[in-house]
Amino acid sequence: MAEQISLRKRKKFQARQTILNAAAQQFEVHGFANTSIAGIMQAAGLGVGTFYNYFSSKEEVLLTLAKNLREQVAKSILAASKVNQSSPELLELCCLCTARAIDKNRSILPLFTTASEHSDKPEQIGQSLSPGFRELFEKIILRGQERGEFRSDVPSNIISEMIHSIYQTTAFSKLEISFQENIRLKVKILLAGIRAR
Amino acid sequence: MAEQISLRKRKKFQARQTILNAAAQQFEVHGFANTSIAGIMQAAGLGVGTFYNYFSSKEEVLLTLAKNLREQVAKSILAASKVNQSSPELLELCCLCTARAIDKNRSILPLFTTASEHSDKPEQIGQSLSPGFRELFEKIILRGQERGEFRSDVPSNIISEMIHSIYQTTAFSKLEISFQENIRLKVKILLAGIRAR
Amino acid sequence: MAEQISLRKRKKFQARQTILNAAAQQFEVHGFANTSIAGIMQAAGLGVGTFYNYFSSKEEVLLTLAKNLREQVAKSILAASKVNQSSPELLELCCLCTARAIDKNRSILPLFTTASEHSDKPEQIGQSLSPGFRELFEKIILRGQERGEFRSDVPSNIISEMIHSIYQTTAFSKLEISFQENIRLKVKILLAGIRAR
Amino acid sequence: MAEQISLRKRKKFQARQTILNAAAQQFEVHGFANTSIAGIMQAAGLGVGTFYNYFSSKEEVLLTLAKNLREQVAKSILAASKVNQSSPELLELCCLCTARAIDKNRSILPLFTTASEHSDKPEQIGQSLSPGFRELFEKIILRGQERGEFRSDVPSNIISEMIHSIYQTTAFSKLEISFQENIRLKVKILLAGIRAR
DNA sequence: TATGAATGAGGCTTCATTCAT
DNA sequence: GATGAATGAAGCCTCATTCAT
């Protein structure tokens, strides 16, 4: 009996995953707005109605994808930031860790730049990715500025916004260079730019 | 007779402008995806059918808005780049000019980050803004690298992409700082970051 | 120009009427809940989307039908109630006038007994028919009670509710007797029952 | 062994009752049309699929509720009508008994006025309540007319229909008076109205 | 050229019903 | 017998687009 329930739950969990994957893929191919629920469920090999057993809207799927990514990134950063080191080193490390975590979910990030367009509650989605790493970055920068490791003539939130922008747009890059390497180079420039003289 | 024709042409031009303005405003308020042609035309105070006398789709309106912005930016840059100066100085000047031109059309830029989402031909729109100033930036950077004014260990297209990303995301910024000032600070960091050592 | 507009408006008015008639007929045949908008518009010989150029929901159609009926009844009663006469005579006259007005729109009345079921705002529809004649009846009864023409041991609103109930249920009657005659007989009983002794 | 079977039967009976009660409650709160089977079963604390072990449709549930009410009313009337008395007295007694029986199941009656709307077989449900007491009333009236106790210038079926209408609409009454008292007053008027002169 | 009513394709969502466990 | 996930039919509604005036 307990096993039966567990079996069913496992299946339900699997179906949920199937839908999430199908959605991510469809979003990547057609974009969020051009993806229909019917399309997602067809890609998932499930009936249309089944979608509503798991999610109440396309937005909720996006939110879920965002949450998953956010958690992965957070975990990855957390691990990296335990080691003790200088602020520039730490910032670079975190940036690269984040890049690596994002790279595994490349299809998802680009959505958040644009998702705010399609929702009645843009703020929810648009910034749902940030918490957990944007704040972390800002903390590191602040600490670096206090320690005199980073220039102080530019506010930390501007710098943090700049890092954020790098991730957002690099995900769209058409250049013939890997995502992580692209990020690495840009972070290199940024670090050089904010180093205290 | 000639005057009548000219009058008619002027009137036609006016209607077109009215639609463009209404569209820009609606896009800004509701987002591209959530703006309907009926909505645009209502805002324009014109009949729905009239839209199709001037444009064939919402995308075309967006493209037109982009083209207008692009031309303004290009003109602005062109004027700035005539003066002879060092590459960093020139780059900074061009960046600020661009910022100023964009600031006048703030409502339009944010659309291009997202517009690719909504179209069947994303590439057309998504990058429609760049030509005319992205290339210019790259040229300046290349020249600077050749002259030894900019570091050469990062490809010019990466740097140019980074500048591009600054414009795209700063347009969305929620920070309490003006668009132009925000851009200025970021460009400062970037310039410091790419200066040859 | 003015004529053209007028022509269009006339056509628009006609289409509205066509929809209202088709809806009334469909409601009568299949009931409100079992009538789909597609069904109405097919009966009207118009496209589905056209419905929304005129109404925003099935409920609004019902409300409109109710309003029309209400206005007819009110007009009919108003005309009748101008003549001066005893309260029982006046009440009877008004009842019969109402019956006649309703009879012309037989298909509509039955809906209001049931419509409250189907709406999120039941009170709106359920009682939308009453104003204009339920109150009138109550006024006549009250006056009759004051004058000693009607018994006073039963509250006027109970009597008025009883009249109301006669209309509502007689519209459903399966008896082989005309609607108006049926009403006439019931009103006869009621009048006999409320006459002061 | 026999006990086990009996236990099972009792359990089955219980589930059936649970569903009926939940359904009645849901019907009352949301209306018949707006009540889904899922909703009923959730209110019943049972799985959706279980519904079909007991009923084949929402209509059948309604029919069952009607049958139960009908039987209660019939039993109540039967008891009352055994005593020998004049037709008006008997009719009044039966009316009040009926009112009392209905009052205990207030939630159910209102459904039958409207249920016909929602079914493909309206006749089945719409009049499913009547048999057993409408006929009885008619018999009493007929007898009274034969005995000269009731006026004969109005057909008995009209009078019986009038009684029926009182129950149907009083169940919806918004007046600040109890259901039974409301019925009592209306029956009083009716009786006064049909008394032979 | 301007208009706006008509249109139907297409997306969203609900829900009765089935069926494997 | 109980369950609840899966299903797709069917309804609702929006909106780009056309076309007669």
Side-chain angles (χ1 to χ4, degrees), chain A residues 148-168:
Chain A
E149 294 165 318
F150 292 141
R151 68 196 296 173
S152 294
D153 61 338
V154 175
S156 62
N157 53 12
I158 295 277
I159 299 174
S160 145
E161 194 174 271
M162 208 169 154
I163 297 177
H164 204 214
S165 86
I166 289 175
Y167 288 113
Q168 281 193 340

Side-chain angles (χ1 to χ4, degrees), chain D residues 115-180:
Chain D
S116 58
E117 276 303 308
H118 317 284
S119 167
D120 291 342
K121 311 156 196 158
E123 64 287 353
Q124 268 189 33
I125 295 180
Q127 301 176 345
S128 62
L129 187 59
S130 316
F133 86 106
R134 187 160 184 171
E135 281 69 13
L136 175 63
F137 286 162
E138 202 156 336
K139 246 184 262 170
I140 298 176
I141 295 163
L142 262 176
R143 200 192 59 170
Q145 289 182 325
E146 283 162 12
R147 291 189 184 175
E149 292 166 316
F150 291 143
R151 67 197 294 173
S152 294
D153 61 337
V154 175
S156 61
N157 53 12
I158 294 279
I159 299 173
S160 146
E161 193 173 271
M162 208 170 156
I163 296 176
H164 202 213
S165 88
I166 288 175
Y167 287 114
Q168 281 192 340
T169 57
T170 302
F172 285 115
S173 176
K174 301 275 154 78
L175 302 183
E176 303 230 341
I177 179 175
S178 78
F179 177 76
Q180 290 190 44

Side-chain angles (χ1 to χ4, degrees), chain B residues 94-109:
Chain B
C94 284
C95 284
L96 300 186
C97 281
T98 302
R100 214 174 305 133
I102 287 176
D103 204 8
K104 281 189 208 140
N105 302 273
R106 257 301 264 309
S107 64
I108 298 169
L109 183 65

Side-chain angles (χ1 to χ4, degrees), chain B residues 66 69-70 102 109 112 125-134 164:
Chain B
L69 174 56
R70 199 168 59 217
I102 287 176
L109 183 65
F112 300 98
I125 296 179
Q127 302 174 344
S128 63
L129 188 59
S130 316
F133 85 107
R134 187 160 184 173
H164 202 214

